């Protein structure tokens, strides 16, 4: 899939170049890395979709200048076409009080849809904190997802909320992917997630956070093998240490998460999850380019049977 304008022009007009130089301090090397981001065409041949969380780098805070429009441009600059949203960031600098949530006006929704279409980026998933037993709030999240073309709501619902969630999944034809934080959070152990999914609709599954598995001392390849086709999506990471809660992200293939092994296991099982880049540690766009390139390199090897 080709961008509508050449990459240099896109990066200049989107403001990513100027922002990136300030953040990364890497000058022309940083700019060159961004311009060489060509997406993951070999992964697409495997039926895999690679996208990004709405933020890259340091965890989001209220003082952050990040907007969702800027995040869309950043994803497009990587040659990727999928993004996971959240209610946290403002839609744009010109609309600081507007977020992606059920209170969005029809006008704001229309503008967001046009912005996504123009960038050729799909709002494929959305992290929700409102997947609870509160039917009104829960239904509002599903209705938002349906209207915006979101395929999957990601979250950590209470254990007693899944009867309602299952009903809404079927009614709205929207998936819910259970996300795991590190131990001792509710879903840190894949066994817990499997028990929740047992006997439930296939629309209820897993958003496997590979970094939190590594932090919790869980071999992510074993977790993928165990969860199998219940995996709907990933928050995909590689980490600098195994079994340490203070472990942090590193470029894929450079850490202890065995990214290649994870990809091999996904391929072996024949599942087609959405892979979402989540890089929580301080990062430059060049680091993310390295992740994308490594991912596509391994995908090419898998596609060739090597």
């Amino acid at each position: 899939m080709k961008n509508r304008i050449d990459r240099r022009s896109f990066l200049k007009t989107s403001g990513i170049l100027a922002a990136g130089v300030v953040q990364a301090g890497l000058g022309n090397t940083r700019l060159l890395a961004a311009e060489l981001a060509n997406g993951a065409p070999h992964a697409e041949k495997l039926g895999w979709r690679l996208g990004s969380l709405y933020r890259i780098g340091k965890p989001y805070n209220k003082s952050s200048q990040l907007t969702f429009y800027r995040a869309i441009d950043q994803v497009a600059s990587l040659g990727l076409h999928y993004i996971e949203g959240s209610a946290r960031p403002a839609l744009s600098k010109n609309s600081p009080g507007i977020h992606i949530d059920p209170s969005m006006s029809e006008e704001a929704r229309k503008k967001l849809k046009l912005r996504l279409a123009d960038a050729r980026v799909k709002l494929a998933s959305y992290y929700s904190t409102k997947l609870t037993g509160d039917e009104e709030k829960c239904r509002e999240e599903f209705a938002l997802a349906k209207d915006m073309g979101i395929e999957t709501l990601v979250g950590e619902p209470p254990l007693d909320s899944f009867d309602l969630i299952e009903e809404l999944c079927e009614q709205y034809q929207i998936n819910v992917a259970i996300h795991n934080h590190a131990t001792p959070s509710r879903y840190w152990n894949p066994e817990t997630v499997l028990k929740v999914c047992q006997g439930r609709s296939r629309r209820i599954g897993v958003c496997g956070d590979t970094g939190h598995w590594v932090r919790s001392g869980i071999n992510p390849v074993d977790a993928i093998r165990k969860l199998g086709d219940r995996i709907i999506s990933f928050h995909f990471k590689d980490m600098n240490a195994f079994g340490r809660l203070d472990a942090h992200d590193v470029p894929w293939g450079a850490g202890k998460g065995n990214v290649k092994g994870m990809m091999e296991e996904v391929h072996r099982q024949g599942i087609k999850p959405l892979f979402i880049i989540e890089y929580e540690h301080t990062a430059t766009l060049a680091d993310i380019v390295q992740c994308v390139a490594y991912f596509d390199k391994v995908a090419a090897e898998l596609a060739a049977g090597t």
Side-chain angles (χ1 to χ4, degrees), residues 106-133:
E106 288 300 319
E107 181 182 4
R109 295 183 189 210
K110 182 178 179 180
K111 287 181 178 179
L112 175 56
K113 290 174 184 177
L114 288 172
R115 184 69 174 241
L116 288 162
D118 185 61
R120 291 188 166 185
V121 172
K122 177 178 175 57
L123 179 54
S125 55
Y126 176 89
Y127 194 96
S128 173
T129 60
K130 297 179 180 178
L131 297 177
T132 68

Side-chain angles (χ1 to χ4, degrees), residues 84-97:
E84 180 169 301
S86 161
R88 280 185 167 182
L91 210 58
S92 69
K93 288 184 178 180
N94 295 329
S95 306

